[in-house]
Amino acid sequence: MIHKNFYSALLLVMVISLFTSCQNDQTNKSCEQPFVHHVFFWLNNPDDPDDRAEFEKGIEELLEVPQIKSYHVGEPAATAHRDVVDGSYTYSYMVFFEDKESHDIYQEHPIHQEFIDEYQHLWKKVQVYDAVMK
């Protein structure tokens, strides 16, 4: 648990640092708007440990795409029920790219295409939220 919290905090610090430094230097090419690709997966058999292990193996392979700058993989948190909270998904996968162009390369990358081909039998629904940081 501490491990996950540490990495989540580290990821947040990295993103804030990138955002802050880019706000102060808009002439820097690396300060193009960072791109966030957030994907939610609903597995067909979310309680099956074999399916979960297979899916997690696929995610580990997917994270080898070189355009990914940082990432966070998680599961629904055990928070209090509120109408605005959707905890129905099985996994959350969030990756950060330097810019939209890097994201577009990732979408066509053979590792990404192989992930879809090899593991799509495990999920019944996928929802994607893409965003650029302001």
Side-chain angles (χ1 to χ4, degrees):
M1 181 62 98
I2 293 174
H3 222 237
K4 286 183 180 180
N5 288 340
F6 171 76
Y7 286 114
S8 294
L10 181 60
L11 176 63
L12 181 61
V13 168
M14 288 170 45
V15 170
I16 289 171
S17 173
L18 175 63
F19 178 66
T20 303
S21 65
C22 286
Q23 268 189 325
N24 296 332
D25 182 9
Q26 293 296 321
T27 61
N28 186 343
K29 169 119 175 85
S30 69
C31 288
E32 293 179 8
Q33 290 178 304
F35 195 96
V36 181
H37 180 64
H38 200 170
V39 185
F40 294 87
F41 293 91
W42 285 260
L43 296 188
N44 290 319
N45 303 303
D47 298 325
D48 184 323
D50 293 334
D51 280 8
R52 293 178 78 92
E54 185 178 356
F55 179 81
E56 290 175 11
K57 175 182 176 274
I59 290 292
E60 286 179 26
E61 294 168 0
L62 182 56
L63 291 171
E64 295 299 318
V65 175
Q67 284 71 26
I68 296 172
K69 294 300 177 192
S70 58
Y71 67 89
H72 173 72
V73 178
E75 299 173 301
T79 54
H81 172 75
R82 295 181 297 149
D83 289 340
V84 297
V85 176
D86 179 3
S88 66
Y89 61 93
T90 313
Y91 286 98
S92 164
Y93 167 80
M94 182 169 43
V95 288
F96 295 85
F97 300 98
E98 227 173 74
D99 51 28
K100 183 182 178 301
E101 181 181 356
S102 297
H103 163 268
D104 293 347
I105 293 168
Y106 161 87
Q107 286 297 327
E108 299 302 321
H109 196 282
I111 293 173
H112 182 249
Q113 294 303 311
E114 185 175 315
F115 170 77
I116 294 168
D117 292 342
E118 295 291 320
Y119 298 98
Q120 66 182 340
H121 70 279
L122 295 172
W123 60 75
K124 60 183 170 187
K125 179 181 175 183
V126 176
Q127 183 67 52
V128 176
Y129 295 94
D130 288 333
V132 291
M133 295 181 64
K134 293 285 182 187

